[in-house]
Amino acid sequence: MIEIRDITGKLLFTAPLTEKCIYRHDLMKEEYVQLSFRQDVCTTWPAGAWMEYEGKRFSLLDPYTPTRDGEEAYTYEPRFESVVMSWKKQPLFFFTTNEAGEIDSAMETDWSGTMKPGEFMDIVLRNLRHFTGEEYVALIDTALTEIRHLQFQSASIFEALCNIADTWETEWWVAGNEIHLSRCYRDLITDAQSGEAVPLTLEVGRNIQVPQVNTDKEGYYNRFYAFGSTRNLVSGDTPDEGTVVHLVHNRLRLPQEKYPYSYKDLTAGGEPLRPGEIFVKTLVFDHIYPKSELTVGTVWSTFVEVTDREGNRIVVGEEAGEPLYKVQEIFYVQLCTPSQEEGGTDEVFTETPAVISGKALSLLFESRSLSGWEFEAQYFERTQIRVGKDQTDTVLTHVYRINYDDTTGLNIPNTVMHPAEGDRLVLLNVELPQAYVSAAQLRLEEALDEEMERRRKDWNTYEFDSNPVAFYQQATDLQVG
């Protein structure tokens, strides 16, 4: 029998266990217990009602009422979801906290970031801590170190975790208070007779039934054109016949000396592909482009009066009969080139940015509170501003003035979300030396090699019924993780 209780612990119902009861766990998709029985009474259970199965709590995420299937009979098939599945109903907010752990910023559901997976996971953990009261830790595959861009629009915590895993081509699952971000597999099992570790082998007729094969929907390709982003590359006009001009969006390509046509073939034994057997796929890696990875050094701020679209100052009140005008905090930052030596001193970045014609110099933050935010900026080799409470005139050199963004209804940066020393960022819409382009081309080649290696694997999915007797005799544990 299964006891069903409300959120206060009060017993609501004692349900029988029948052969039609189901426990299902599909990684990154679902985990639930579904009961199945008939009763001659109709009882509605509230959302939040729960039961326990194998030491885990499963809850109703919606109120449940049984189905009437006769004059005096009702069929009960309630589906109790695991705690992790309840995260489908909790939005993932972007917000910052103070030293006491209290939220000290606006809570945004439409946001993006360019970070390592661990930094995205920190935001997930922060949400779980504040909105479920539970403390989790993230255990991340040490190989997942690449910085990538993600955007969230009213995503749930569950959807966000799936998005993070998909972006880094891995999986996620929860064990206790640990959220794992890595491939979920085990190579060995323990033999019940010898006690030794042996590979888990699935064999039709021995421990599994004939599988149903779901073919990989990506299709078969053996020639891959690879391109990176258009960022920090100059687009060109290509003249054509007459007055027709084609605008070419120049994307990062593979190293031209090795791949003059920007493609690479996936072949067996290195044999060249022949006409008729070439199947082409174009891949775009928008997160790869030439970039100078910098950090924020010193930060200054000053206040300026805000004007409307007609250039008029905005009045927000008055003091001693004089109007008070709306002001906005404007931030200036000095950038640094990180030291290549452990414990070394970062050097001030003094190069004048070569802004690409027709584009605006921009700063893209890749860490902390402004991660994922991109701001237009102006570079000053030397300028004078008023800083501090006493508005002291100060001369600054080699600084960037950040233009605030008001597209969300808030002016950012502001006193809560602002640049800080040590923030990682990159310059956008600038021409960089060839060394930066060459380095980006090598990163593009590595990304293509990883993708081609992934496509060598069998990505078909197989569904089959197991032979429980054989699995019991082999002491095979089928729990996730």
Side-chain angles (χ1 to χ4, degrees), residues 443-459:
R443 295 199 302 272
L444 179 62
E445 183 179 5
E446 292 172 358
L448 175 59
D449 288 342
E450 291 178 5
E451 175 62 14
M452 291 175 64
E453 182 61 30
R454 186 185 73 83
R455 288 173 179 266
R456 290 181 187 274
K457 300 176 182 178
D458 180 4
W459 289 101

Side-chain angles (χ1 to χ4, degrees), residues 107-308:
M107 295 169 58
E108 304 288 347
T109 59
D110 187 350
W111 61 279
S112 62
T114 304
M115 299 181 276
K116 294 181 179 180
E119 293 171 300
F120 283 110
M121 293 299 292
D122 285 343
I123 296 172
V124 170
L125 300 181
R126 191 184 310 157
N127 274 261
L128 291 173
R129 183 181 309 115
H130 278 276
F131 301 114
T132 72
E134 299 294 332
E135 288 283 349
Y136 289 88
V137 295
L139 300 183
I140 303 171
D141 187 338
T142 55
L144 303 179
T145 58
E146 189 173 3
I147 295 173
R148 295 188 178 179
H149 181 77
L150 278 176
Q151 183 166 353
F152 302 96
Q153 292 181 317
S154 301
S156 68
I157 291 177
F158 189 93
E159 291 168 334
L161 284 166
C162 292
N163 199 356
I164 294 169
D166 288 342
T167 299
W168 275 272
E169 298 170 3
T170 188
E171 297 164 323
W172 72 271
W173 79 97
V174 177
N177 72 328
E178 300 173 343
I179 303 179
H180 295 254
L181 187 68
S182 62
R183 285 291 180 188
C184 183
Y185 66 89
R186 287 175 300 202
D187 291 328
L188 303 175
I189 61 173
T190 302
D191 181 81
Q193 302 297 325
S194 66
E196 297 180 355
V198 295
L200 172 60
T201 303
L202 303 179
E203 182 180 333
V204 174
R206 185 174 67 87
N207 54 10
I208 63 170
Q209 307 300 318
V210 177
Q212 175 184 341
V213 182
N214 298 315
T215 307
D216 175 23
K217 294 181 174 59
E218 287 187 306
Y220 172 76
Y221 301 96
N222 54 16
R223 173 166 291 178
F224 297 91
Y225 286 82
F227 300 94
S229 172
T230 60
R231 285 180 159 176
N232 291 347
L233 295 171
V234 179
S235 296
D237 294 337
T238 301
D240 206 337
E241 296 180 4
T243 60
V244 178
V245 176
H246 295 274
L247 178 62
V248 178
H249 297 288
N250 188 21
R251 285 188 174 273
L252 182 72
R253 294 171 176 264
L254 295 171
Q256 295 298 291
E257 64 277 8
K258 292 176 62 178
Y259 311 103
Y261 300 105
S262 205
Y263 70 75
K264 195 170 182 178
D265 289 340
L266 182 62
T267 61
E271 294 296 325
L273 297 176
R274 297 167 296 186
E277 64 178 7
I278 300 174
F279 302 93
V280 179
K281 179 73 172 178
T282 298
L283 300 172
V284 177
F285 301 87
D286 253 333
H287 62 287
I288 301 178
Y289 55 91
K291 58 183 180 180
S292 53
E293 299 180 351
L294 304 170
T295 60
V296 173
T298 307
V299 180
W300 300 268
S301 69
T302 188
F303 289 88
V304 298
E305 292 179 341
V306 179
T307 58
D308 58 23

Side-chain angles (χ1 to χ4, degrees), residues 7-20:
I7 57 174
T8 68
K10 177 184 176 182
L11 180 65
L12 298 176
F13 198 87
T14 302
L17 284 175
T18 68
E19 293 182 352
K20 294 183 178 181

